[in-house]
Amino acid sequence: MERTFAMIKPDATERGLAGKIISRIEEEGFNIVGMRLVRMTKAEAEGFYAVHKERPFFGDLTSFMSSGKTVVLALERDNAIKHWRDVMGATNPADADEGTLRKEFAESIERNSTHGSDAPDTAAFELGYWFPGVALNAG
């Protein structure tokens, strides 16, 4: 069993889509081992996205992520990181496959409804950021 981090972003929560996305998470065989509703401060968003600090979109990203409620989740299943990425679809919803969350719910590349860890080291950081003490691998 592997664990990954998932997020339902402010654009999805403000449109009342959290329940639909959580249902899909469960339908895909994930166990939810942690879930919180948060309203990120700008500082929390900057810390979470610090890897992108030098990128031109950093300010807009952190402003957006601190603009509303976000659901943060710790998910568990076999091959969790890759499977969650597949369920979400491409970052740009125009490139996302039919049936993916981003194809169905995203409004744009910036307002793309969900986030997920892209690798084990990212998952370890992101899980630790919102769920201190949650291990990457179930055990």
Side-chain angles (χ1 to χ4, degrees):
M1 295 290 264
E2 180 180 60
R3 290 185 177 164
T4 193
F5 176 80
M7 180 187 301
I8 303 170
K9 294 181 178 182
D11 62 294
T13 60
E14 74 186 18
R15 291 181 289 140
L17 298 174
K20 289 180 180 180
I21 294 170
I22 292 166
S23 291
R24 179 69 183 275
I25 287 168
E26 292 178 330
E27 289 167 11
E28 291 290 337
F30 289 97
N31 295 315
I32 299 172
V33 295
M35 181 167 60
R36 294 175 48 208
L37 179 66
V38 298
R39 172 92 190 227
M40 283 186 212
T41 65
K42 180 81 166 171
E44 285 172 327
E46 289 171 347
F48 184 75
Y49 287 105
V51 68
H52 298 301
K53 187 174 178 104
E54 301 305 319
R55 307 289 294 270
F57 59 80
F58 182 74
D60 288 342
L61 173 63
T62 56
S63 291
F64 165 63
M65 292 306 298
S66 59
S67 70
K69 296 175 187 170
T70 300
V71 179
V72 294
L73 302 109
L75 305 178
E76 177 182 271
R77 65 161 276 157
D78 290 333
N79 205 18
I81 295 169
K82 181 182 183 324
H83 193 76
W84 178 239
R85 303 285 299 174
D86 291 345
V87 170
M88 285 191 307
T91 302
N92 184 345
D95 299 331
D97 290 337
E98 290 297 326
T100 62
L101 292 171
R102 288 179 172 155
K103 187 65 155 186
E104 185 173 352
F105 298 126
E107 297 174 313
S108 68
I109 194 169
E110 293 85 14
R111 296 173 59 86
N112 63 11
S113 299
T114 58
H115 166 85
S117 304
D118 60 0
D121 58 333
T122 310
F125 169 78
E126 293 177 341
L127 286 167
Y129 197 87
W130 295 109
F131 300 99
V134 171
L136 184 58
N137 293 309

